[in-house]
Amino acid sequence: MTKKIIAFGASSSTNSINKQLATYAASQFENTDVEVLDLNDYEMPIFSLDKESKNGIPELAKDFFNKIGTADLVIVSLAEHNGAYSTAFKNIFDWTSRINPKFFQEKQTLILATSPGPRGGLTVLEIAKNRFPFQGADVKGSFSLPSFNDNFNANEGITNEKLKSDLLEIIQSIEL
């Protein structure tokens, strides 16, 4: 039976480098059905208890939660905004956690991050590695791609052979 991967870049940028990295990583798995989500399709009001009390949980949060539920593997590549999650991702995180605090639903999860800078989103990656297991993620690996514009090409993917090898080693360790 073909396994399903849900991949997304945790950014609302229309040219998200993290969406590119997540899509690339998902494409490295064989015999899988890959669905790439766009966070712009899940734009909701900023989470607040008052809004939840007045209007309930938005249908888009339920849709996102249900998409995660269909996956055998979730691949998320985190954009780093001021050392933390992007607002777009944090809002989805907040709303879906109201459905179930373990909104990753014990799914195998590969956490990635990249940025144009030399740290490659390491700060947000560390936050996620520590936080996601509390949200029900079965974290199978993490990977940071530094200096995205120097190490990634839209046609070839990761161009730095050492970094490509590091990611492929993590991917090969994940049993689907």
Side-chain angles (χ1 to χ4, degrees):
M1 186 166 113
T2 303
K3 300 294 184 171
K4 182 165 185 180
I5 296 174
I6 295 288
F8 61 93
S11 166
S12 60
S13 171
T14 55
N15 298 311
S16 170
I17 61 177
N18 280 283
K19 185 176 179 183
Q20 291 177 58
L21 180 59
T23 302
Y24 170 77
S27 75
Q28 301 306 298
F29 287 86
E30 296 180 3
N31 304 316
T32 57
D33 177 27
V34 176
E35 183 175 359
V36 179
L37 304 182
D38 186 328
L39 292 195
N40 292 301
D41 294 335
Y42 298 93
E43 192 171 320
M44 296 172 269
I46 299 295
F47 173 78
S48 76
L49 291 175
D50 292 340
K51 288 177 184 168
E52 181 183 9
S53 177
K54 182 178 178 184
N55 302 313
I57 296 171
E59 287 302 314
L60 289 174
K62 295 173 187 174
D63 292 347
F64 189 86
F65 179 82
N66 290 334
K67 286 284 186 187
I68 298 297
T70 67
D72 295 293
L73 174 67
V74 176
I75 298 176
V76 56
S77 187
L78 297 153
E80 185 173 283
H81 290 191
N82 297 311
Y85 307 127
S86 71
T87 303
F89 176 68
K90 181 65 167 75
N91 196 49
I92 292 170
F93 181 114
D94 289 342
W95 277 115
T96 55
S97 70
R98 299 302 286 179
I99 297 166
N100 182 337
K102 296 194 178 289
F103 71 86
F104 278 105
Q105 304 168 59
E106 307 305 326
K107 300 297 180 176
Q108 293 188 88
T109 306
L110 173 58
I111 307 171
L112 313 171
T114 191
S115 75
R119 288 187 35 81
L122 279 175
T123 302
V124 74
L125 191 62
E126 286 302 313
I127 293 169
K129 283 171 27 182
N130 291 319
R131 185 76 219 154
F132 281 14
F134 292 104
Q135 286 0 107
D138 179 10
V139 178
K140 295 299 185 183
S142 66
F143 174 79
S144 167
L145 179 65
S147 305
F148 179 84
N149 297 318
D150 296 331
N151 293 311
F152 193 93
N153 173 295
N155 296 322
E156 301 171 46
I158 297 175
T159 56
N160 177 299
E161 290 303 319
K162 170 73 169 105
L163 293 169
K164 180 188 278 188
S165 175
D166 290 348
L167 178 58
L168 290 176
E169 184 177 322
I170 294 167
I171 286 170
Q172 291 167 356
S173 74
I174 298 172
E175 294 182 29
L176 283 180

